[in-house]
Amino acid sequence: MAIAERRAGVGAPHHSPGPEWEGRRSYARTRVPLALPHLLEVQLDSWDWFLGEGIREVFRDLAPVADPGGRLRLRWGDPRWGEPRRGEAECRALGLTYSAPLSAT
């Protein structure tokens, strides 16, 4: 850091506003903290995409499957998610994995 910047206070530690920051020092160059993204929303959006489009892409990438002799081929159609056999609360109580069957025609 240049001497002129040190004298101007650039990069100098300062106290951030708000009671939750009392007694803490911030060495950030900006005085206002940036808003954090809603990380759970990012993961939920990714999961929703996988359930809809992502699983179809996986099926397309894996199809067709052929036997070593090349006589038989297996192709998957449109994947469908079935209803879970047990509810989320019941799975939690029994220590089971909450799951739903996946089928393809």
Side-chain angles (χ1 to χ4, degrees), residues 49-94:
W49 173 85
F50 176 75
L51 291 178
E53 294 177 40
I55 195 72
R56 285 182 176 82
E57 286 185 19
V58 170
F59 276 35
R60 277 194 301 266
D61 289 346
L62 296 177
V65 176
D67 72 331
R71 296 175 297 173
L72 302 174
R73 295 183 131 205
L74 176 64
R75 292 187 182 160
W76 290 284
D78 194 31
R80 290 185 315 271
W81 293 98
E83 290 297 317
R85 293 188 179 120
R86 297 177 185 202
E88 183 180 347
E90 183 181 3
C91 288
R92 283 180 192 251
L94 296 173

